[in-house]
Amino acid sequence: NSPPLADIYQVLTRPFPPSMVELKPGAVTQDKTRALALAYVDMRTYQARLDEVVGPDRWGVEYRTLGDRAVICRLTLLGVTREDVGEADAEDANAWTSAVAQAFKRACAGFGLGRFLYSLPRVWAAYSAEKKAIVNPAEVVRKMYQQAGIS
């Protein structure tokens, strides 16, 4: 017999360890030395949290396409279902993989999982135009967590 979703909500929704958070650059300054740091977590980390908290046999996922550029994820945990959409970017070589991951993580956010990422403070960080990456991402994530009051 499964526990009610409310009984596991706090554990399910706790922030991921900072070491699991990655950053991608958003808007970049004109001189290309700073970028808005956008935090995200790999889809497999979400899956591991679901396995750990809900149990590997107590959650399921289904996908279906929506038009020619989107995917709908239907995520069910302990008999409760949430759906959300992920869009495929035509310029992305892995467009459908990205759309599936985006839809899955958005459906997870419907259960509170990973939702804290949306409320992390906006931080401008040093940016390497050559690498197209945030410089010292671990320090930037630490700063975001500190500003958000996440220990």
Side-chain angles (χ1 to χ4, degrees):
N1 212 3
S2 299
L5 198 52
D7 288 356
I8 61 167
Y9 185 79
Q10 281 193 326
V11 178
L12 183 68
T13 62
R14 73 179 183 262
F16 292 113
S19 62
M20 304 305 290
V21 177
E22 299 178 55
L23 299 175
K24 61 183 175 184
V28 178
T29 57
Q30 261 188 326
D31 66 0
K32 297 185 179 8
T33 61
R34 300 185 64 71
L36 187 60
L38 304 174
Y40 71 98
V41 174
D42 185 84
M43 180 176 161
R44 289 173 288 266
T45 304
Y46 284 76
Q47 293 167 332
R49 173 71 60 86
L50 291 172
D51 287 347
E52 171 195 334
V53 176
V54 179
D57 59 345
R58 308 263 181 188
W59 67 276
V61 65
E62 300 170 35
Y63 299 98
R64 64 187 188 277
T65 57
L66 178 65
D68 61 349
R69 296 199 36 208
V71 174
I72 297 173
C73 174
R74 180 179 176 86
L75 177 63
T76 303
L77 310 181
L78 305 173
V80 179
T81 300
R82 303 280 190 270
E83 287 188 340
D84 215 319
V85 177
E87 296 88 15
D89 180 357
E91 304 296 316
D92 184 352
N94 298 309
W96 289 107
T97 301
S98 298
V100 164
Q102 184 183 78
F104 178 76
K105 291 188 281 186
R106 286 178 173 173
C108 286
F111 288 101
L113 176 57
R115 196 181 298 163
F116 79 98
L117 292 165
Y118 296 96
S119 60
L120 287 176
R122 297 172 60 104
V123 172
W124 286 87
Y127 173 73
S128 168
E130 180 183 321
K131 295 179 181 178
K132 296 184 178 172
I134 301 294
V135 176
N136 197 358
E139 179 60 27
V140 175
V141 171
R142 187 197 64 73
K143 181 178 180 180
M144 292 170 128
Y145 270 50
Q146 183 179 37
Q147 287 181 11
I150 300 171
S151 52

